[in-house]
Amino acid sequence: MLPGKPVFLLTDILIFVLVLSIVSFFVYAMRKPHLRQPWGQVVRSRAGIISMIVLSVYVAIALLDSLHFHPMLENHTTNSEKVQYSGEVISVFDQLVSDIRKSTEKTYSAPFATHLYAKETVQMADGTRQRVYPRLSWGASHLEDPQTEKVTDVLSLAITGALKAVFVWMMVLLLLALYLSVRSAQTFTATFRSLFDNRSGMPWRTLSLTLGVVLLVLLVGAEWASKYHVLGTDKVGEDVLYQALKSIRTGVVIGTLTTLLMLPFAITLGIMAGFFRGWIDDLIQYLYTTLNSVPGVLLIAAAVLMLNVYMSKHAEAFASLTQRADMRLLFLCLILGLTSWTGLCRLLRAETLKLRAVDYVQAATAFGVGSMQTIFRHILPNVMHIVLITLVLDFSGLVLAEAVLSYINIGVDPTMNSWGNMINSARLEMAREPIVWWSLAASLFFMFTLVLFANLFADVVRDALDPRTSR
């Protein structure tokens, strides 16, 4: 139960519908041998298991950040029948990382810094004024002498986080070994030992080591973040690590909801063009050829401009800035979906033209089977591997597209955390002296990690599902 009044944003609803659809598909696939075999190949791949674990962390953060609510006011009277809620909209993820969310400074501070990055004029005890680097109000405030205690404190926090990671890692492996021993009727000791070798069909050692590294990074980072600004602070003193983590939801939403919105256009028009041919094929080809001839950036810029005009004239329709930013995010997903369906449509048209000439489709037509029944029974199931491969491959491209569009101010709302907005704000920070490099580095690192493992997962899925490369 949420610790406040729930808020249902449109993107929240859509992303949970998408997650439910994916879970339902995998439950269905596990019951079908022809679907279970290729996805089993994905799970048995070392690159596949590593990328799935890393992507699961990103998805978990995005889902926690998609549960929004109005927090309960702390100063409401206990004898009041009506509970008072704040007008601010936060998420469960915000609640979990409330320490770094509220730990703001005056201005810039470097990673693991104890003092501000810029000098200020301070009046000394003897009445004189000096230019000094002031102490941070939150970061490393527990240290009495930062110069001598900082290194020791950072190392002790790292050791504490590492011990917690080892404990959690061992508990997870013990539970996994217990579950596998019950299913396989093997002894618990033999099953536990098998988690550290790859002699079986499943890469258990790869899974175990990857899980251990991920837990180590998360828990050591959590220990550091409880006392320091791990990635520094920005111009207004907000923690950069918090901004980078909050931007994960924006990247995941752009990458997933855009594909969800483009699927109906691509699948319907692509199969119709290849199956019915004639004037329908000519009309659909003319449509996506015309759409491809117009630069996508111009279409997106025009659509965002019209949306901004609408929102400025109907400001009363949005209860909060969060809902306003969410509407712009959803509209951006819609525009990206409308401009990115043409590639998949072409692939499905070509595949449908080939399938239309296959014997069993010709036999169905000769026996008088209706067109819709033929499409749903024979055509659609045999083009789904192309759909899945294209969706996974397009995910990383859409994440990068959001960064580029936000960089030129036609992406998500400036008030919304995103890697593109972080890069855009870092543009001026890189020109100052001394250079503030950590905002740009943080956004690029998190975006690079997501795109890298998404591409690795896409390669594994392509090798497993593509009939030309699957073994």
Side-chain angles (χ1 to χ4, degrees):
M1 185 176 180
L2 296 178
K5 184 180 179 181
V7 176
F8 300 100
L9 302 178
L10 290 176
T11 54
D12 295 343
I13 297 173
L14 289 176
I15 196 171
F16 279 103
V17 168
L18 180 61
V19 170
L20 181 61
S21 302
I22 293 174
V23 172
S24 301
F25 169 76
F26 277 105
V27 172
Y28 172 78
M30 291 301 102
R31 298 177 179 177
K32 304 295 182 180
H34 69 285
L35 294 176
R36 185 171 62 248
Q37 190 275 333
W39 285 107
Q41 181 179 339
V42 173
V43 176
R44 289 189 295 271
S45 169
R46 294 183 182 181
I49 203 69
I50 293 173
S51 57
M52 281 192 291
I53 291 176
V54 176
L55 292 177
S56 298
V57 176
Y58 276 84
V59 172
I61 294 175
L63 293 179
L64 290 175
D65 205 16
S66 298
L67 296 171
H68 291 91
F69 61 95
H70 290 291
M72 185 184 304
L73 292 177
E74 297 179 356
N75 58 349
H76 72 277
T77 57
T78 56
N79 56 357
S80 176
E81 296 181 358
K82 186 176 181 181
V83 179
Q84 299 295 323
Y85 297 99
S86 171
E88 181 185 16
V89 178
I90 64 174
S91 65
V92 173
F93 178 76
D94 293 328
Q95 190 76 6
L96 293 175
V97 297
S98 58
D99 290 339
I100 62 174
R101 181 173 69 93
K102 298 177 181 179
S103 58
T104 57
E105 308 292 346
K106 286 185 178 180
T107 182
Y108 297 112
S109 65
F112 290 99
T114 58
H115 294 74
L116 289 178
Y117 199 60
K119 287 184 177 182
E120 291 184 358
T121 303
V122 178
Q123 187 173 1
M124 309 304 292
D126 57 359
T128 60
R129 293 177 177 271
Q130 293 185 6
R131 297 280 294 174
V132 298
Y133 293 101
R135 280 290 301 271
L136 299 179
S137 60
W138 185 85
S141 59
H142 63 291
L143 301 179
E144 296 182 0
D145 187 4
Q147 293 184 351
T148 60
E149 299 176 1
K150 176 182 173 182
V151 176
T152 304
D153 186 64
V154 171
L155 291 177
S156 64
L157 290 174
I159 293 173
T160 303
L163 293 176
K164 291 182 179 180
V166 171
F167 175 76
V168 175
W169 181 56
M170 291 302 298
M171 291 301 297
V172 172
L173 293 184
L174 289 174
L175 292 176
L176 180 60
L178 179 62
Y179 171 74
L180 293 176
S181 63
V182 173
R183 289 197 59 182
S184 61
Q186 293 181 350
T187 62
F188 176 80
T189 304
T191 305
F192 185 78
R193 289 177 179 176
S194 67
L195 296 180
F196 296 94
D197 61 57
N198 288 333
R199 287 177 293 181
S200 61
M202 186 73 180
W204 292 115
R205 182 171 59 187
T206 304
L207 185 148
S208 303
L209 294 178
T210 305
L211 182 62
V213 172
V214 170
L215 289 174
L216 182 66
V217 172
L218 291 177
L219 294 180
V220 171
E223 288 295 320
W224 282 340
S226 64
K227 300 295 183 181
Y228 296 90
H229 296 291
V230 179
L231 297 178
T233 56
D234 62 358
K235 186 176 181 179
V236 296
E238 191 175 34
D239 192 274
V240 174
L241 176 61
Y242 171 73
Q243 292 180 352
L245 292 174
K246 285 285 290 183
S247 300
I248 290 177
R249 178 184 181 271
T250 304
V252 172
V253 168
I254 289 286
T256 54
L257 291 190
T258 301
T259 58
L260 176 66
L261 295 173
M262 83 172 187
L263 276 183
F265 299 97
I267 295 178
T268 302
L269 297 180
I271 293 179
M272 286 180 60
F275 187 81
F276 293 106
R277 299 188 298 181
W279 66 271
I280 297 179
D281 186 18
D282 295 337
L283 180 62
I284 294 175
Q285 286 191 74
Y286 177 79
L287 176 62
Y288 65 64
T289 303
T290 304
L291 189 60
N292 277 339
S293 64
V294 181
V297 176
L298 295 181
L299 290 177
I300 295 171
V304 170
L305 179 61
M306 290 188 295
L307 179 65
N308 289 338
V309 172
Y310 172 81
M311 290 192 298
S312 62
K313 291 184 178 180
H314 301 82
E316 68 281 355
F318 305 97
S320 63
L321 291 176
T322 303
Q323 293 183 352
R324 176 189 176 97
D326 183 75
M327 177 59 69
R328 180 164 173 172
L329 175 62
L330 179 61
F331 198 75
L332 180 62
C333 293
L334 178 62
I335 296 302
L336 286 174
L338 291 177
T339 56
S340 60
W341 61 269
T342 55
L344 178 58
C345 181
R346 284 178 173 178
L347 293 175
L348 294 180
R349 173 186 174 273
E351 188 70 14
T352 304
L353 284 173
K354 183 180 71 174
L355 291 174
R356 192 179 187 276
V358 177
D359 292 340
Y360 57 83
V361 177
Q362 294 288 335
T365 304
F367 280 106
V369 178
S371 299
M372 291 297 103
Q373 187 175 357
T374 302
I375 289 174
F376 282 103
R377 179 171 295 182
H378 300 297
I379 303 296
L380 185 59
N382 288 286
V383 299
M384 285 308 296
H385 68 281
I386 297 179
V387 175
L388 293 174
I389 293 171
T390 304
L391 293 186
V392 179
L393 289 173
D394 286 349
F395 175 83
S396 57
L398 292 169
V399 173
L400 295 175
E402 180 276 324
V404 174
L405 294 174
S406 297
Y407 178 75
I408 58 178
N409 293 321
I410 59 173
V412 299
D413 194 85
T415 61
M416 176 172 283
N417 293 105
S418 76
W419 294 316
N421 284 337
M422 291 180 66
I423 295 174
N424 188 27
S425 61
R427 177 178 51 182
L428 299 177
E429 297 173 353
M430 295 296 292
R432 73 186 300 273
E433 182 63 33
I435 295 176
V436 178
W437 52 268
W438 45 86
S439 293
L440 179 63
S443 58
L444 291 179
F445 172 78
F446 279 88
M447 184 169 58
F448 171 78
T449 304
L450 177 60
V451 171
L452 172 64
F453 287 99
N455 284 336
L456 289 176
F457 184 69
D459 290 340
V460 176
V461 172
R462 181 186 59 193
D463 293 340
L465 297 182
D466 194 344
R468 294 171 296 181
T469 59
S470 60
R471 294 182 295 272

Coordinates of all heavy atoms in Angstrom, one line a residue, residues 110-157:
A110 N 32.0 18.4 -5.9 CA 32.5 17.3 -6.7 C 32.1 16.0 -6.0 O 31.7 15.9 -4.9 CB 34.1 17.4 -6.7
P111 N 32.3 14.9 -6.7 CA 32.0 13.5 -6.2 C 32.8 13.3 -4.9 O 34.0 13.6 -4.9 CB 32.4 12.6 -7.3 CG 32.2 13.4 -8.5 CD 32.6 14.8 -8.2
F112 N 32.2 12.8 -3.8 CA 32.8 12.5 -2.5 C 33.4 13.8 -1.9 O 34.3 13.6 -1.1 CB 33.8 11.4 -2.7 CG 33.2 10.1 -3.0 CD1 33.2 9.6 -4.3 CD2 32.7 9.3 -1.9 CE1 32.7 8.3 -4.5 CE2 32.2 8.0 -2.2 CZ 32.2 7.6 -3.5
A113 N 33.0 14.9 -2.3 CA 33.6 16.1 -1.8 C 33.1 16.4 -0.4 O 32.0 15.9 0.1 CB 33.3 17.3 -2.7
T114 N 33.9 17.2 0.4 CA 33.5 17.6 1.7 C 33.2 19.1 1.8 O 32.7 19.6 2.7 CB 34.6 17.3 2.7 OG1 35.8 17.9 2.3 CG2 34.8 15.8 2.8
H115 N 33.6 19.8 0.7 CA 33.5 21.3 0.6 C 32.8 21.6 -0.8 O 32.9 20.8 -1.7 CB 34.8 22.0 0.7 CG 35.4 21.9 2.1 ND1 36.0 20.7 2.5 CD2 35.5 22.7 3.1 CE1 36.5 20.8 3.7 NE2 36.2 22.1 4.1
L116 N 32.3 22.8 -0.9 CA 31.7 23.3 -2.1 C 32.8 23.4 -3.2 O 34.0 23.5 -2.9 CB 31.0 24.6 -1.9 CG 29.7 24.6 -1.2 CD1 29.1 26.0 -1.0 CD2 28.6 23.7 -1.9
Y117 N 32.4 23.4 -4.4 CA 33.3 23.5 -5.5 C 33.7 24.9 -5.9 O 34.7 25.1 -6.6 CB 32.7 22.9 -6.8 CG 33.6 22.5 -7.9 CD1 34.6 21.5 -7.6 CD2 33.5 23.0 -9.2 CE1 35.5 21.1 -8.6 CE2 34.4 22.6 -10.2 CZ 35.4 21.7 -9.9 OH 36.3 21.3 -10.9
A118 N 33.0 25.9 -5.3 CA 33.3 27.3 -5.6 C 33.5 28.0 -4.2 O 33.0 27.7 -3.2 CB 32.1 28.0 -6.3
K119 N 34.4 29.0 -4.3 CA 34.8 29.8 -3.1 C 33.7 30.8 -2.8 O 33.0 31.3 -3.6 CB 36.1 30.5 -3.3 CG 37.3 29.6 -3.2 CD 38.6 30.4 -3.3 CE 39.8 29.6 -3.2 NZ 41.1 30.4 -3.2
E120 N 33.5 31.1 -1.5 CA 32.6 32.1 -1.0 C 33.3 33.0 0.0 O 34.3 32.6 0.6 CB 31.4 31.4 -0.3 CG 30.5 30.7 -1.3 CD 29.2 30.2 -0.6 OE1 29.1 30.4 0.7 OE2 28.4 29.6 -1.3
T121 N 32.8 34.2 0.1 CA 33.4 35.1 1.0 C 32.8 34.9 2.4 O 31.6 35.0 2.6 CB 33.1 36.6 0.6 OG1 33.7 36.8 -0.7 CG2 33.8 37.6 1.6
V122 N 33.6 34.6 3.4 CA 33.2 34.2 4.7 C 33.8 35.2 5.7 O 35.0 35.4 5.6 CB 33.5 32.8 5.0 CG1 33.1 32.4 6.5 CG2 32.8 31.8 4.0
Q123 N 33.0 35.6 6.7 CA 33.6 36.5 7.7 C 34.2 35.6 8.8 O 33.5 34.8 9.4 CB 32.5 37.4 8.3 CG 33.0 38.4 9.3 CD 32.0 39.4 9.7 OE1 30.8 39.4 9.3 NE2 32.3 40.4 10.5
M124 N 35.5 35.8 9.1 CA 36.2 35.1 10.1 C 35.9 35.6 11.5 O 35.2 36.6 11.7 CB 37.7 35.1 9.9 CG 38.0 34.7 8.4 SD 37.4 33.1 7.9 CE 38.4 32.0 8.9
A125 N 36.4 34.8 12.5 CA 36.1 35.2 13.9 C 36.7 36.5 14.3 O 36.2 37.2 15.2 CB 36.6 34.1 14.9
D126 N 37.8 36.9 13.7 CA 38.5 38.2 14.0 C 37.9 39.4 13.2 O 38.4 40.5 13.3 CB 40.0 38.1 13.8 CG 40.3 37.7 12.3 OD1 39.3 37.5 11.5 OD2 41.5 37.6 12.0
G127 N 36.8 39.1 12.5 CA 36.2 40.2 11.7 C 36.6 40.3 10.3 O 36.0 41.1 9.5
T128 N 37.7 39.7 9.9 CA 38.2 39.8 8.5 C 37.4 38.9 7.6 O 36.7 37.9 8.0 CB 39.7 39.3 8.5 OG1 39.8 38.0 8.9 CG2 40.5 40.2 9.3
R129 N 37.4 39.2 6.3 CA 36.7 38.4 5.3 C 37.7 37.6 4.4 O 38.7 38.2 4.0 CB 35.9 39.3 4.4 CG 34.7 39.9 5.2 CD 33.9 40.9 4.3 NE 32.8 41.4 4.9 CZ 31.6 40.9 5.0 NH1 31.4 39.7 4.3 NH2 30.6 41.5 5.6
Q130 N 37.5 36.4 4.2 CA 38.3 35.5 3.4 C 37.5 34.7 2.4 O 36.3 34.4 2.6 CB 39.1 34.6 4.2 CG 40.2 35.2 5.1 CD 41.0 34.2 5.9 OE1 40.9 33.0 5.7 NE2 41.9 34.7 6.8
R131 N 38.2 34.4 1.2 CA 37.5 33.5 0.2 C 37.9 32.1 0.5 O 39.1 31.7 0.4 CB 38.0 33.9 -1.2 CG 37.7 35.4 -1.6 CD 36.2 35.4 -2.1 NE 36.1 34.7 -3.3 CZ 34.9 34.5 -3.9 NH1 33.8 35.0 -3.4 NH2 34.8 33.9 -5.0
V132 N 37.0 31.3 0.9 CA 37.2 29.9 1.3 C 36.2 29.0 0.6 O 35.2 29.4 0.1 CB 37.2 29.7 2.8 CG1 38.2 30.5 3.5 CG2 35.8 30.1 3.3
Y133 N 36.5 27.7 0.7 CA 35.6 26.7 0.2 C 34.7 26.2 1.4 O 35.2 25.5 2.3 CB 36.3 25.5 -0.4 CG 37.0 25.8 -1.7 CD1 38.4 26.0 -1.7 CD2 36.4 25.9 -2.9 CE1 39.1 26.2 -2.8 CE2 37.0 26.1 -4.1 CZ 38.4 26.3 -4.0 OH 39.1 26.6 -5.2
P134 N 33.4 26.6 1.5 CA 32.6 26.2 2.7 C 32.4 24.7 2.8 O 32.4 24.0 1.7 CB 31.3 27.0 2.4 CG 31.6 28.0 1.4 CD 32.7 27.4 0.5
R135 N 32.2 24.2 4.0 CA 31.8 22.8 4.2 C 30.4 22.6 3.7 O 29.5 23.5 3.7 CB 31.8 22.5 5.7 CG 33.2 22.2 6.3 CD 33.8 20.9 5.8 NE 32.9 19.7 6.1 CZ 33.0 19.0 7.2 NH1 33.9 19.4 8.2 NH2 32.2 18.0 7.4
L136 N 30.2 21.4 3.2 CA 28.8 21.0 2.7 C 27.9 20.8 3.9 O 28.3 20.4 5.0 CB 28.9 19.7 1.9 CG 29.8 19.7 0.7 CD1 29.8 18.3 0.0 CD2 29.3 20.7 -0.3
S137 N 26.7 21.2 3.7 CA 25.7 21.1 4.8 C 25.3 19.6 5.1 O 24.8 19.3 6.2 CB 24.4 21.9 4.5 OG 23.8 21.4 3.2
W138 N 25.4 18.7 4.0 CA 25.0 17.3 4.3 C 26.1 16.4 3.9 O 26.4 15.5 4.7 CB 23.8 17.0 3.4 CG 23.3 15.6 3.6 CD1 22.4 15.2 4.6 CD2 23.6 14.4 2.9 NE1 22.2 13.8 4.5 CE2 22.9 13.3 3.5 CE3 24.5 14.1 1.8 CZ2 23.0 12.0 3.0 CZ3 24.6 12.8 1.4 CH2 23.9 11.8 1.9
G139 N 26.7 16.5 2.8 CA 27.8 15.6 2.4 C 29.0 15.6 3.4 O 29.6 16.6 3.6
A140 N 29.3 14.4 3.9 CA 30.4 14.3 4.8 C 30.3 15.2 6.1 O 31.3 15.5 6.7 CB 31.8 14.6 4.1
S141 N 29.1 15.6 6.4 CA 28.9 16.4 7.6 C 29.2 15.7 8.9 O 29.4 16.3 9.9 CB 27.5 17.0 7.6 OG 26.5 15.9 7.6
H142 N 29.3 14.4 8.9 CA 29.5 13.6 10.1 C 31.0 13.6 10.5 O 31.4 13.1 11.5 CB 29.0 12.2 9.9 CG 29.7 11.4 8.8 ND1 29.6 11.7 7.5 CD2 30.6 10.4 8.9 CE1 30.3 10.9 6.8 NE2 30.9 10.1 7.6
L143 N 31.9 14.1 9.6 CA 33.3 14.0 9.8 C 33.7 15.3 10.5 O 33.4 16.4 10.1 CB 34.1 13.9 8.5 CG 33.8 12.6 7.7 CD1 34.6 12.7 6.4 CD2 34.1 11.4 8.5
E144 N 34.5 15.2 11.6 CA 35.0 16.4 12.3 C 36.3 16.9 11.5 O 36.4 18.2 11.4 CB 35.4 16.0 13.7 CG 34.2 15.6 14.6 CD 34.6 15.3 16.0 OE1 35.8 15.4 16.3 OE2 33.7 14.9 16.8
D145 N 37.1 16.1 11.1 CA 38.3 16.5 10.3 C 38.3 15.8 9.0 O 38.9 14.7 8.9 CB 39.6 16.2 11.1 CG 40.8 16.8 10.4 OD1 40.7 17.5 9.4 OD2 41.9 16.6 10.9
P146 N 37.7 16.3 7.9 CA 37.6 15.6 6.6 C 38.9 15.3 6.0 O 39.1 14.2 5.4 CB 36.8 16.6 5.8 CG 36.2 17.6 6.7 CD 37.0 17.7 7.9
Q147 N 39.9 16.1 6.2 CA 41.2 15.8 5.6 C 41.9 14.5 6.1 O 42.5 13.8 5.3 CB 42.2 17.0 5.8 CG 41.7 18.3 5.1 CD 42.7 19.4 5.3 OE1 43.7 19.3 6.1 NE2 42.5 20.5 4.6
T148 N 41.7 14.2 7.3 CA 42.3 13.0 7.9 C 41.4 11.8 8.0 O 41.8 10.6 8.0 CB 42.9 13.3 9.3 OG1 41.8 13.7 10.1 CG2 43.9 14.4 9.2
E149 N 40.1 12.1 8.0 CA 39.1 11.0 8.2 C 38.4 10.5 7.0 O 37.7 9.5 7.0 CB 38.0 11.5 9.3 CG 38.6 11.8 10.6 CD 37.5 12.4 11.5 OE1 36.3 12.4 11.1 OE2 37.8 12.7 12.7
K150 N 38.4 11.3 5.9 CA 37.6 11.0 4.7 C 38.0 9.6 4.1 O 37.1 8.8 3.9 CB 37.8 12.1 3.7 CG 37.0 11.8 2.4 CD 37.3 12.9 1.4 CE 36.7 12.6 0.1 NZ 36.9 13.7 -1.0
V151 N 39.3 9.4 3.9 CA 39.7 8.1 3.2 C 39.3 6.9 4.0 O 38.8 5.9 3.5 CB 41.2 8.2 2.9 CG1 41.6 6.8 2.3 CG2 41.5 9.3 2.0
T152 N 39.6 7.0 5.3 CA 39.2 5.9 6.2 C 37.7 5.6 6.2 O 37.2 4.5 6.2 CB 39.7 6.1 7.6 OG1 41.1 6.4 7.6 CG2 39.5 5.0 8.5
D153 N 36.9 6.7 6.2 CA 35.5 6.6 6.3 C 34.9 6.0 5.0 O 34.1 5.1 5.1 CB 34.9 8.0 6.6 CG 33.4 7.9 6.8 OD1 32.9 7.2 7.8 OD2 32.6 8.4 5.9
V154 N 35.5 6.4 3.9 CA 35.0 5.9 2.6 C 35.3 4.4 2.5 O 34.5 3.6 2.1 CB 35.6 6.6 1.4 CG1 35.4 6.0 0.1 CG2 35.1 8.1 1.4
L155 N 36.5 4.0 2.9 CA 36.9 2.6 2.9 C 36.0 1.7 3.9 O 35.6 0.6 3.5 CB 38.3 2.4 3.2 CG 39.3 2.9 2.2 CD1 40.8 2.8 2.7 CD2 39.2 2.2 0.9
S156 N 35.7 2.3 5.0 CA 34.9 1.5 6.0 C 33.5 1.4 5.5 O 32.9 0.3 5.7 CB 34.9 2.3 7.3 OG 34.3 3.5 7.2
L157 N 32.9 2.4 4.8 CA 31.6 2.3 4.2 C 31.6 1.2 3.1 O 30.6 0.5 2.9 CB 31.1 3.6 3.7 CG 30.8 4.7 4.8 CD1 30.5 6.0 4.1 CD2 29.6 4.3 5.6

